[in-house]
């Protein structure tokens, strides 16, 4: 076991630690736009919680842990970081945090919102989990599908006379999809809630189709906003 703690947060440094601490939870991930979402977070969070309670019913055998992916808190009180805070508070649950490793984005962990976070993990550990769980190259499949999707999106961007998506989109699309597949492998289940029914085809959230296309995430595990 290789766990350290910082400010009450357990840093889970390998796949075995993540399995030990997360297997008893029902993981929830909330996906949606960040700084470009100018809606008031409170009514959005209320609707998500209502959707989740209708989706789950009375069938929750394990406590929920809301997994976030390092989105910085917007001072305006809007965007995904504010929404996930409110969803966790309304559900009365704690949060887990998955971050990109510093060699990928050295600022990611510095800016991440750690409010009510009890477990912190790295992207590289998510890869380790998938490699241990799947008997095929699932990470390679995810990467290829993201590359294919990026190529299509950039082609559309060029046709519209717009700049191609920034290089970091691939890093954050990988973080999003790899995290879901890894956490599902550990817990044996997952719930993914969307913060909007109008997902931009050029936003990171739109890459949720990758997990679906590969059969690694089931459509029945996604709770739509509308």
């Amino acid at each position: 076991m290789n766990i350290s703690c910082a400010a009450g947060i357990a840093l889970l440094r390998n796949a075995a630690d993540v399995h030990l601490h997360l297997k008893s939870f029902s993981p929830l991930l909330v996906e949606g736009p960040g700084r470009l979402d100018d809606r008031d977070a409170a009514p959005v969070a209320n609707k998500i919680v209502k959707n989740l309670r209708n989706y789950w019913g009375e069938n929750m055998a394990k406590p929920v842990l809301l997994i976030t992916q390092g989105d910085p808190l917007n001072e305006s009180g809007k965007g995904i970081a504010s929404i996930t805070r409110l969803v966790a508070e309304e559900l009365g649950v704690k949060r887990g945090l998955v971050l990109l490793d510093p060699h990928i984005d050295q600022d990611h962990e510095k800016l991440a919102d750690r409010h009510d976070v009890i477990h912190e993990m790295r992207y590289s550990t998510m890869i380790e989990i998938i490699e241990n769980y799947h008997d095929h190259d699932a990470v390679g499949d995810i990467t290829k599908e993201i590359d294919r999707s990026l190529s299509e999106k950039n082609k559309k961007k060029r046709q519209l006379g717009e700049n191609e998506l920034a290089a970091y989109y691939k890093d954050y699309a990988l973080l999003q999809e790899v995290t879901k597949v890894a956490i599902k492998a550990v817990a044996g289940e997952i719930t993914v809630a969307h913060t909007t029914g109008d997902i931009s085809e050029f936003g990171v959230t739109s890459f949720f189709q990758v997990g679906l296309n590969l059969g690694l995430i089931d459509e029945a595990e996604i709770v739509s906003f509308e």
Side-chain angles (χ1 to χ4, degrees):
M1 187 178 298
N2 186 17
I3 302 172
S4 59
C5 293
I9 302 173
L11 307 178
L12 310 182
R13 299 185 181 278
N14 56 53
D17 292 340
V18 175
H19 185 269
L20 177 65
H21 288 268
L22 267 63
K23 66 181 180 181
S24 60
F25 286 101
S26 179
L28 165 66
L29 283 86
V30 180
E31 295 178 341
R35 67 181 185 277
L36 297 180
D37 190 345
D38 61 359
R39 299 170 298 169
D40 181 20
V44 176
N46 289 340
K47 182 171 177 59
I48 292 169
V49 170
K50 181 180 178 180
N51 291 344
L52 287 168
R53 286 176 171 154
N54 288 337
Y55 174 80
W56 286 327
E58 303 297 327
N59 300 320
M60 298 302 292
K62 298 189 290 185
V64 173
L65 184 70
L66 197 162
I67 306 294
T68 63
Q69 297 170 337
D71 296 280
L73 194 65
N74 190 326
E75 292 183 0
S76 69
K78 299 176 181 179
I80 186 67
S82 297
I83 292 169
T84 53
R85 267 199 186 198
L86 293 173
V87 169
E89 288 174 5
E90 190 164 343
L91 289 174
V93 303
K94 296 297 185 180
R95 306 200 295 173
L97 173 63
V98 181
L99 297 168
L100 287 171
D101 297 75
H103 72 274
I104 301 174
D105 185 342
Q106 62 181 357
D107 293 324
H108 196 214
E109 65 177 335
K110 299 175 185 177
L111 300 174
D113 179 25
R114 289 177 168 82
H115 179 72
D116 267 349
V117 169
I118 59 172
H119 296 304
E120 184 172 315
M121 300 151 278
R122 291 289 183 270
Y123 170 71
S124 56
T125 305
M126 300 296 103
I127 291 178
E128 179 189 355
I129 291 168
I130 293 174
E131 290 176 342
N132 290 345
Y133 182 83
H134 288 278
D135 57 5
H136 64 282
D137 185 11
V139 174
D141 291 344
I142 293 169
T143 303
K144 290 176 184 176
E145 185 67 10
I146 286 175
D147 284 338
R148 184 195 64 76
S149 183
L150 271 172
S151 179
E152 290 182 355
K153 293 176 191 298
N154 283 328
K155 181 180 178 180
K156 290 182 180 179
K157 281 281 193 178
R158 292 191 297 271
Q159 291 171 343
L160 293 169
E162 299 176 358
N163 293 331
E164 294 186 358
L165 297 173
Y168 65 77
Y169 271 72
K170 179 174 179 178
D171 294 331
Y172 285 91
L174 280 167
L175 175 65
Q176 174 180 283
E177 295 307 291
V178 165
T179 295
K180 286 187 293 190
V181 174
I183 295 298
K184 178 180 176 179
V186 168
E189 61 180 287
I190 194 168
T191 302
V192 181
H194 286 166
T195 68
T196 178
D198 185 23
I199 296 172
S200 168
E201 66 175 317
F202 300 119
V204 171
T205 305
S206 69
F207 289 90
F208 80 92
Q209 291 287 350
V210 168
L212 292 175
N213 292 344
L214 294 172
L216 297 169
I217 300 296
D218 194 290
E219 193 167 356
E221 294 166 326
I222 297 179
V223 180
S224 63
F225 185 71
E226 298 174 342

